[in-house]
Amino acid sequence: MTEAQTLEARAASLSNLKDGLRGRDNVCFPHDWTGDPLSKTHLMRLLARHNRVLWVNSIGLRAPTVSKSDISRSLKKLAAATTPVKEVEPNIFVLSTLSIPAYGQPTLRALNRHLLRFQVKRAMRHLCFQRAINYIFLPSAALIAGTLGEETVIYHCVDEYAAFSDIASRPILELENQLLRRADLVITSAELLYLSKARFNPRTFLVRHGVDFQHFRRALDPDTITPEEIARLPRPVIGFFGLIADWVDLDLMAYVAQRFPAASLVLLGKATTDTSNLERLPNVHLLGRKPYASLPAYCKGFDVALMPFRINELTLNANPLKVREYLAAGLQVVSTAIPEVETLGLCRIGRDPDSFVREVEAALADPGPSTRRSDAVRSESWESRLEEICQHIADVEREASDRKGHHAK
């Protein structure tokens, strides 16, 4: 499929959106715009084809520390907060706000509420927003949910935020519970999230993550060139991409590297946790963060892809984006026993280190990108996920309109 045909297909797939969900203004509370494309990015980019989006850069979930990285990040956010709203892509306007992510202290929480509301409302007036939808991904945005003059509040929950190791769980849980009760619609990306959040709001629905299919399909394109830094490595190449954080089982990765000494274990991504146990192994290659645009080319150089998350409350509630991305690139995927990966049914599951290694060995019998594997997730596009979400929004707004009409009689 050519790029022109791809764009035409995407436009056609969105043509079924309800008229009431075209030409709408959306305030969105996600991660920072400059971060790697996540579910929020994919959905808002598609929504921006027919609607305007005010993207409010991350207002944070944890209080900053005195570490060098946190101080640097805080200074950058302070500088960004002095810049005006900027249109970064057609119909997507980015706002950086000044806030203090300390939610356990009532005084600071109240100050945050006033600061955020003032800054977001000012941007909305500047853009002449009307009939806005407030589309929230972060529970910290509960501070101002329902105070912006918005018509509809949506909470799209993609993680069990209170389970992150660097977040004060109690205040975040309080904010999330407040948001769950206030939201007109709750979307969850994993079944366990659905089961826990639906207790607070009957208008809760499960919409699993999609995939940027055509982007990762490029791994199968003959014109895609494998980057030299992995093309020259001894084969097979066992690959991983994504944030290398404390939920990634680096001990398991080291075990795989030791059990396949002739292979090359390649990790792409920023590391926020100690990787010394991998760095000492001669066949492990930590190549750092790579641009999203280059990931299909790296996938073309992988023989098998790994999804080695630890099993804990955070990951049991996760629906890892990288799994569908690996599959769209046509790769065999070996994963730990994450429920959403098992539900997908297209991956090899290792339930302990030895069985994980056996699954890697079995996957290497059919290495590299395969059209058949890629085709298996063709229907898992972000376009199809947005259609589901928009139908839920239309239903919720119609019910709200019917209730208003009934009360007016």
Side-chain angles (χ1 to χ4, degrees), residues 234-267:
R235 305 199 77 87
V237 173
I238 301 170
F240 167 91
F241 65 69
L243 185 64
I244 305 170
D246 61 3
W247 55 80
V248 178
D249 193 339
L250 299 188
D251 293 332
L252 177 61
M253 299 277 265
Y255 187 65
V256 170
Q258 290 168 331
R259 291 290 299 271
F260 295 94
S264 300
L265 181 63
V266 171
L267 286 79

Side-chain angles (χ1 to χ4, degrees), residues 22 51 62-63 71 129 199 207 212 288 302 313 351 360:
R22 288 175 178 266
N51 307 272
R62 65 176 181 85
I71 291 173
F129 267 31
R199 296 183 293 114
V207 179
D212 190 353
F302 289 176
E313 185 183 5
R351 302 186 184 281
V360 172

Side-chain angles (χ1 to χ4, degrees), residues 9-180:
R10 287 181 174 180
S13 71
L14 294 174
S15 63
N16 294 326
L17 296 185
K18 301 299 181 183
D19 290 340
L21 296 172
R22 288 175 178 266
R24 292 291 292 275
D25 294 327
N26 297 264
V27 183
C28 178
F29 291 88
H31 63 298
D32 284 347
W33 174 257
T34 54
D36 289 328
L38 302 176
S39 56
K40 303 94 169 166
T41 321
H42 295 300
L43 290 171
M44 291 302 116
R45 277 178 167 156
L46 289 173
L47 202 61
R49 291 179 183 271
H50 303 290
N51 307 272
R52 294 192 300 168
V53 175
L54 175 60
W55 177 291
V56 183
N57 271 339
S58 176
I59 57 177
L61 291 169
R62 65 176 181 85
T65 67
V66 294
S67 69
K68 183 179 179 181
S69 61
D70 275 7
I71 291 173
S72 175
R73 177 178 169 83
S74 296
L75 290 174
K76 288 179 181 178
K77 280 191 165 292
L78 183 61
T82 65
T83 62
V85 174
K86 180 180 180 182
E87 187 172 12
V88 293
E89 291 183 7
N91 283 339
I92 297 181
F93 304 84
V94 170
L95 170 68
S96 294
T97 61
L98 179 63
S99 62
I100 308 167
Y103 305 105
Q105 304 174 39
T107 302
L108 287 178
R109 188 185 293 199
L111 177 61
N112 264 336
R113 182 180 298 111
H114 291 301
L115 275 173
L116 285 170
R117 185 174 184 275
F118 170 76
Q119 293 168 93
V120 176
K121 286 282 285 183
R122 182 176 59 182
M124 292 172 69
R125 287 194 299 269
H126 172 72
L127 296 170
C128 300
F129 267 31
Q130 297 179 351
R131 299 185 58 225
I133 293 174
N134 189 354
Y135 205 119
I136 296 171
F137 286 96
L138 296 177
S140 48
L143 288 173
I144 56 173
T147 72
L148 303 174
E150 63 268 57
E151 284 196 347
T152 304
V153 175
I154 301 167
Y155 176 38
H156 193 143
C157 180
V158 299
D159 278 304
E160 189 59 78
Y161 292 101
F164 281 94
S165 60
D166 58 351
I167 289 176
S169 60
R170 183 172 178 178
I172 290 301
L173 270 178
E174 290 175 357
L175 284 170
E176 184 178 57
N177 292 345
Q178 174 186 327
L179 179 57
L180 286 165

Side-chain angles (χ1 to χ4, degrees), residues 195-210:
L195 293 173
S196 63
K197 310 312 175 188
R199 296 183 293 114
F200 297 91
N201 191 320
R203 296 179 300 280
T204 298
F205 300 92
L206 171 61
V207 179
R208 290 187 165 94
H209 285 329

